[in-house]
Amino acid sequence: MLRRVLAPPRGPPALPPRPVSRSAADQHPPDLARERSKTVASFYNQPAIDAAAEKKSARYLHHELPVRIAHRIKGFRSLPFIIGCNPTILHVHKLYIRAFQKLSEFPPIQGGSDEARYCALVRQLLDDHKDVVTLLAEGLRESRRHIQDEGLLRLFLDKTLTSRLGIRMLASHHLALHEDKPDFVGIICTRLSPKKIIEKWVDFSRRLCEHQYGNAPRVRVNGHVAARFPFIPMPLDYILPELLKNAMRATMESHLDTPYNVPDIVVTIANNDIDIVIRISDRGGGIPHELLDKVTQYHFSTAEASAQDPRLGGALGQLLALSNRGQAGPMHGFGFGLPTSRAYAEYLGGSLCLQSLQGVGTDVYLRLRHIDGKAESFRI
Ligand SMILES: Nc1ncnc2c1ncn2[C@@H]1O[C@H](COP(=O)(O)OP(=O)(O)OP(=O)(O)O)[C@@H](O)[C@H]1O
Ligand SMILES: [Mg+2]
């Protein structure tokens, strides 16, 4: 089941063949004995099986990545001229062209050394492209005002960002197949605990929040806290910090007069046969009616309004917070957290919905489809 999501679509399985049934054994005992001993030998010949699986996975990527990247390049080419000329957008466009050239020039993967060199290339490209989301956000922030058609940009960003996520998942999966990490097969965690991963991102977001506001709301996690299932942590690693940062910021900014006495955030986990639902409830005042449609648009942010608030130290205070933020990234800023999280969730067969109790707080519902669930599977 798990293999359906990430593995190459066709070809022989990497596991040893199943034992022949007893009735067949009765018919051809010597053949069967030989067959059985071969099966046992190949079971213990795990390195050979791993190597074959890795080569097959590399060959799949070798074919698949240039095609996917070519589609992204077409996306950049079809942008309005004025946007395509923006230096930052042009830089990202060139990154994709360079990746296409390097990947499509790579000779066919024959032996183990080809595979090792291919891994090194993939690792290098993953690193070269790590800042692409920020670069796109920056490049489009200035240039988007020149065009009328908002829908066009949304389509471009949804497609570029989700396709990038897919490419990174496939590439990281291949690289991770070489690692021997307990409870992991490639990037699939075989017994992921939603509670643990939520807590990891709560700690991260609280540290950022304390840095910016001097305090951070506590987070209570309830529901199916003991659940464990096979899942890919990567999308959660992106989406959870974005949602938690938003909830914490709203909580702190709606309680500026009592920053050391702020309401808790409550995260509820609901696990079922089809999907995993994570609800994040804050008491941060909610999202005003007139903004509800806008908050999931790329580049919509109320960060500037906060920057003007003298209780938050005004523009200078925000600037200082921004310059102190180091490697951890900002609490808020580009207006990319919600639209990107929603695009990722939908790409993976799930959804992201917001319910605002205006004046009280916000509930965000993140749904992600199980990779081995009862519902129809999805492909990356
Ligand atoms: N839980 C929430 N409560 C109240 N308002 C929210 C909440 N989550 C998001 N918002 C509003 O939606 C806007 C857009 O959120 P989004 O996460 O997309 O961007 P951002 O937080 O401003 O910047 P970024 O996430 O890119 O750093 C926020 O600026 C904020 O005004
Ligand atoms: Mg945000």
Side-chain angles (χ1 to χ4, degrees):
M1 260 312 196
L2 296 186
R3 289 164 198 277
R4 280 218 313 255
V5 177
L6 275 165
R10 279 174 296 274
L15 294 171
R18 287 178 185 216
V20 183
S21 71
R22 188 181 292 273
S23 61
D26 294 342
Q27 284 161 18
H28 307 288
D31 282 359
L32 181 71
R34 234 187 341 265
E35 189 57 37
R36 197 177 279 149
S37 91
K38 266 200 299 191
T39 305
V40 171
S42 67
F43 181 80
Y44 286 107
N45 194 6
Q46 199 63 37
I49 293 169
D50 286 348
E54 280 152 15
K55 201 152 75 183
K56 181 166 160 51
S57 164
R59 284 181 179 158
Y60 172 69
L61 281 191
H62 187 262
H63 169 77
E64 187 73 11
L65 293 186
V67 178
R68 292 190 183 214
I69 290 172
H71 282 292
R72 289 310 96 233
I73 295 171
K74 276 180 80 178
F76 279 96
R77 284 210 200 128
S78 62
L79 280 173
F81 185 70
I82 185 109
I83 291 187
C85 291
N86 174 283
T88 314
I89 301 297
L90 206 57
H91 171 66
V92 181
H93 188 169
K94 283 186 189 155
L95 276 179
Y96 275 90
I97 293 176
R98 205 176 316 137
F100 176 80
Q101 283 167 344
K102 290 203 166 160
L103 289 166
S104 53
E105 277 166 9
F106 199 93
I109 295 162
Q110 312 282 3
S113 66
D114 295 341
E115 208 267 320
R117 279 194 307 115
Y118 190 70
C119 282
L121 171 62
V122 169
R123 200 170 284 120
Q124 175 68 51
L125 291 175
L126 278 174
D127 192 55
D128 291 349
H129 285 238
K130 66 179 187 311
D131 297 324
V132 157
V133 180
T134 313
L135 290 169
L136 286 175
E138 267 172 14
L140 291 172
R141 183 162 57 182
E142 294 309 317
S143 55
R144 68 178 290 157
R145 69 174 70 138
H146 298 300
I147 66 153
Q148 304 294 320
D149 190 353
E150 285 287 319
L152 193 136
L153 269 191
R154 154 160 282 225
L155 225 65
F156 170 79
L157 280 169
D158 279 351
K159 193 70 209 155
T160 307
L161 298 181
T162 55
S163 156
R164 176 177 180 273
L165 175 70
I167 291 172
R168 292 183 85 81
M169 283 168 88
L170 288 178
S172 311
H173 184 63
H174 177 69
L175 297 179
L177 283 175
H178 294 266
E179 292 163 15
D180 203 7
K181 207 166 145 194
D183 294 337
F184 272 84
V185 178
I187 58 165
I188 299 167
C189 177
T190 51
R191 46 196 305 273
L192 181 125
S193 154
K195 178 169 181 273
K196 284 243 165 70
I197 194 165
I198 289 166
E199 282 171 350
K200 174 176 93 175
W201 289 113
V202 163
D203 289 346
F204 168 86
S205 310
R206 289 193 82 225
R207 271 203 303 277
L208 273 186
C209 186
E210 276 165 8
H211 190 76
Q212 177 135 358
Y213 298 100
N215 189 25
R218 287 191 322 174
V219 179
R220 284 184 281 131
V221 183
N222 61 25
H224 291 143
V225 288
R228 275 186 183 270
F229 44 79
F231 208 72
I232 304 170
M234 199 189 256
L236 287 173
D237 284 338
Y238 177 78
I239 298 172
L240 287 174
E242 292 303 328
L243 302 182
L244 289 164
K245 280 191 297 174
N246 284 352
M248 289 186 189
R249 173 190 171 209
T251 305
M252 295 313 294
E253 294 197 1
S254 62
H255 292 82
L256 286 176
D257 299 329
T258 55
Y260 291 98
N261 182 19
V262 294
D264 292 355
I265 291 168
V266 182
V267 180
T268 307
I269 302 164
N271 185 34
N272 61 74
D273 286 348
I274 309 250
D275 57 12
I276 158 97
V277 194
I278 298 175
R279 180 184 63 189
I280 300 181
S281 304
D282 68 59
R283 297 215 145 212
I287 301 170
H289 289 101
E290 69 277 13
L291 299 186
L292 210 47
D293 284 342
K294 296 200 175 128
V295 293
T296 48
Q297 288 173 8
Y298 289 101
H299 290 109
F300 176 84
S301 175
T302 52
E304 267 180 35
S306 300
Q308 305 307 325
D309 192 321
R311 291 175 301 171
L312 283 167
L316 187 64
Q318 293 282 309
L319 253 176
L320 277 176
L322 224 63
S323 64
N324 284 336
R325 75 193 185 206
Q327 289 299 307
M331 274 297 282
H332 54 83
F334 279 119
F336 259 49
L338 286 179
T340 311
S341 299
R342 184 165 84 166
Y344 287 173
E346 288 177 0
Y347 174 69
L348 299 170
S351 62
L352 184 81
C353 298
L354 297 138
Q355 288 288 344
S356 173
L357 285 84
Q358 283 81 6
V360 175
T362 305
D363 286 351
V364 180
Y365 294 81
L366 170 68
R367 282 178 183 276
L368 290 173
R369 190 94 64 88
H370 275 301
I371 56 176
D372 62 345
K374 280 193 180 153
E376 199 184 317
S377 189
F378 55 93
R379 286 202 75 86
I380 304 249

